[in-house]
Amino acid sequence: MRTLSKRGVPTAAATSFLAAKASAKTSARAGKAGKTATARPLRALRALGGESVVDVLTRQHRRIRLGFLRAALPGPGRRRNFDRLMRLLAVHEAAEEAHVHPAARKALRHGRDLAARRRREEKEAKRLLVELRRTGPHGRGYLRRLNEARRAVGRHAAREEREELAALGRVLSPARLRMLGAEVKLAQVYAPTRPHRWVNNELTNKLAAPVLGPLDRALDAARRRNGARPG
């Protein structure tokens, strides 16, 4: 096939061939870029573990129940166990209020009422936890307040697993459940590490995380360095 005229100008056939070749290269580059863009969130999801939100929260509920038992033990380790329990409860509830309850409200048939009940339970539990933290692990009435908080948190966790998490597991796709699990883990990295009574819904948690999260962690680190009693 001749691709040039006598004057050296590309013929129509040559022009069409070159355009098709360029288009194929562009499409290949676009396809490669699209695959890369799709792979990025998948890699991030794998880095966060790729666990279902049901598995993440159920496992944390077990850790919380064990944490209450350890925080009741006498001896020099009580302060450390108490601080770990407070931190676990704070970041756990923050992630639920910011991501899990909003997802249930949107995805479940009676999600609005269900999420509202869970928030009321968390608000009451948070009130008890604030009082418990003020008392401290060596304060008067500590074990009584610890048991009150343990019962409230335990009832809430059981209802959450039975009503909310079980329903989300049925209606959401496996990919969405894993993504929600990743959102929970990521939120817990930046969440406040102690209970704050007024931080008890999606909006206040998302607004508070960039402020109270770093502040709580800075205070925790300073007190660990100084060996002072957490306030």
Side-chain angles (χ1 to χ4, degrees):
M1 177 188 296
R2 295 183 62 187
T3 58
L4 296 177
S5 66
K6 293 181 180 179
R7 297 180 180 180
V9 179
T11 63
T15 302
S16 299
F17 172 75
L18 293 173
K21 188 175 180 180
S23 177
K25 288 183 179 179
T26 302
S27 298
R29 285 195 297 268
K32 186 176 180 180
K35 290 179 181 178
T36 302
T38 303
R40 285 182 188 132
L42 293 176
R43 285 198 299 268
L45 187 60
R46 284 194 293 269
L48 287 169
E51 285 184 284
S52 163
V53 67
V54 177
D55 295 334
V56 172
L57 296 183
T58 301
R59 184 180 67 252
Q60 290 183 359
H61 287 166
R62 291 195 297 268
R63 288 180 58 200
I64 288 169
R65 287 192 288 270
L66 182 59
F68 272 107
L69 296 177
R70 287 175 172 167
L73 297 174
R78 176 179 279 187
R79 161 60 66 184
R80 182 176 63 254
N81 291 330
F82 174 78
D83 290 342
R84 286 176 177 172
L85 175 64
M86 289 292 103
R87 182 187 182 99
L88 177 57
L89 285 165
V91 301
H92 178 84
E93 296 300 339
E96 286 184 341
E97 292 167 358
H99 297 282
V100 181
H101 302 328
R105 188 175 63 243
K106 295 174 184 176
L108 303 182
R109 183 178 179 184
H110 301 291
R112 186 175 297 275
D113 293 337
L114 192 64
R117 289 199 297 271
R118 296 294 82 81
R119 287 198 306 272
R120 285 195 297 269
E121 293 166 3
E122 287 167 352
K123 189 174 182 179
E124 172 60 17
K126 197 167 291 186
R127 180 187 68 79
L128 295 173
L129 291 172
V130 169
E131 293 175 357
L132 175 63
R133 193 171 183 281
R134 286 174 182 165
T135 300
H138 302 296
R140 185 176 181 180
Y142 167 70
L143 289 179
R144 175 179 57 82
R145 292 188 185 279
L146 181 71
N147 282 324
E148 288 176 351
R150 179 182 60 80
R151 288 192 293 269
V153 170
R155 288 192 298 267
H156 164 71
R159 290 169 182 158
E160 192 170 64
E161 291 180 14
R162 185 173 61 249
E163 300 174 10
E164 189 173 35
L165 296 181
L168 286 174
R170 288 191 299 268
V171 304
L172 296 183
S173 69
R176 179 66 183 112
L177 289 170
R178 290 194 297 271
M179 185 59 70
L180 194 54
E183 291 172 8
V184 163
K185 289 183 179 181
L186 188 60
Q188 291 176 347
V189 173
Y190 301 101
T193 60
R194 59 197 68 194
H196 300 275
R197 290 182 64 173
W198 59 272
V199 182
N200 52 31
N201 57 40
E202 179 182 7
L203 178 61
T204 54
N205 271 283
K206 289 182 176 179
L207 290 175
V211 179
L212 293 180
L215 178 61
D216 282 356
R217 283 169 168 75
L219 291 173
D220 292 343
R223 285 165 179 148
R224 282 195 299 271
R225 285 195 301 270
N226 297 333
R229 180 182 185 274

